[in-house]
Amino acid sequence: MNFQTSIQLIPVFALLTVIGCGSSAPPEITLEQDAYACVEGLGDAAGDPKMFATVFVDGAVPENQEDYAQRGYEIAGDGEVDGDQMTVPVKIFGGVFATSGGDRSKKASEAGTTTQNWVLQRVGEDWKIKEAPLG
């Protein structure tokens, strides 16, 4: 490659660097992805009573917050949307450390694995949990 060829390639390289492989705009998050994030983040939210309450619709906050903090949550299939509600299968598993409190001597939860259908409710622009049975 000679000097003149190198000079000609600089604008092309610069253009590709600016454009990249796709759009520079962040990908849009679908309603389902937003709802799924609410479910999968519940274990972390359960470590703080105030945060835990914000994940649920008013009047639906479970009293057994500690039980939720000792489990992990994973979407186990496609959600079914009906208006402002979504029913989604959730895999609930143990083996995680409760995120509440600072006691590191606690053992991991021994709760088994189950799949339950949870109901989410759209509240404004956000999805919140309406029904979240553990098993």
Side-chain angles (χ1 to χ4, degrees):
M1 183 180 302
N2 63 33
F3 180 72
Q4 187 175 5
T5 305
S6 298
I7 296 293
Q8 290 172 342
L9 290 178
I10 289 174
V12 173
F13 177 73
L15 180 62
L16 290 175
T17 302
V18 170
I19 294 174
C21 293
S23 173
S24 62
E28 287 191 35
I29 297 177
T30 66
L31 293 177
E32 289 81 7
Q33 289 170 324
D34 188 37
Y36 297 167
C38 171
V39 169
E40 292 185 348
L42 181 60
D44 291 332
D48 178 347
K50 290 179 184 175
M51 185 182 280
F52 183 66
T54 66
V55 177
F56 290 86
V57 297
D58 290 342
V61 181
E63 293 182 15
N64 56 337
Q65 172 196 342
E66 184 71 25
D67 292 339
Y68 285 86
Q70 295 177 2
R71 291 174 171 83
Y73 308 94
E74 181 179 296
I75 300 301
D78 293 332
E80 185 176 310
V81 178
D82 183 15
D84 283 344
Q85 288 196 14
M86 177 187 290
T87 302
V88 61
V90 177
K91 178 181 173 184
I92 304 162
F93 53 91
V96 298
F97 290 91
T99 56
S100 60
D103 186 1
R104 296 282 182 201
S105 65
K106 289 184 179 180
K107 292 172 46 177
S109 165
E110 293 181 13
T113 300
T114 185
T115 301
Q116 298 290 320
N117 284 327
W118 286 14
V119 178
L120 306 178
Q121 176 75 43
R122 186 136 184 194
V123 179
E125 295 296 316
D126 298 320
W127 286 99
K128 295 192 176 222
I129 300 170
K130 183 175 181 180
E131 298 173 18
L134 290 178

